[in-house]
């Protein structure tokens, strides 16, 4: 539902979404023998925003495997679906997080895992 912070409708709808944690790290995205190194822009409990690699020609709805490296000892490997695409970014929604990666992901997110934030679509 589109609302503003006071519960009233407005011209540019604000919606609630899981809070994004701004963090940059290396990501390898792969699908059917195709792979692209890129960078993570932000991450949430439901998805991730990546920089769009040069030459990438994917489309919404495609499934990709994301391998994200955090520091020396945290590797998050999961499956995600392309939710939206812009000239410079790709938004992914998680489709499968292996059981052994769920707790490390929630630990990485910390308080961000339970917070909702307002955002404007457009």
């Amino acid at each position: 539902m589109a609302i503003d912070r006071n519960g009233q409708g407005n011209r540019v709808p604000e919606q609630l979404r899981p809070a994004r944690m701004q963090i940059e790290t290396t990501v390898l995205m792969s699908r059917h023998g195709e792979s692209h190194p890129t960078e993570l822009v932000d991450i949430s409990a439901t998805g991730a925003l990546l920089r769009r690699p040069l030459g990438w020609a994917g489309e919404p709805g495609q499934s990709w495997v994301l391998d994200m490296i955090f520091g020396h000892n945290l590797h998050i490997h999961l499956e995600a679906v392309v939710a939206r695409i812009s000239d410079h970014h790709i938004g992914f929604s998680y489709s499968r997080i292996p059981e052994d990666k769920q707790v490390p992901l929630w630990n990485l997110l910390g308080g961000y895992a339970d917070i909702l934030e307002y955002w404007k679509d457009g």
Side-chain angles (χ1 to χ4, degrees), residues 64-84:
W64 287 78
V65 173
L66 305 181
D67 286 296
M68 300 177 275
I69 307 297
F70 299 94
H72 297 290
N73 59 357
L74 180 56
H75 172 211
I76 304 286
H77 172 93
L78 53 81
E79 294 174 25
V81 174
V82 176
R84 62 190 170 279

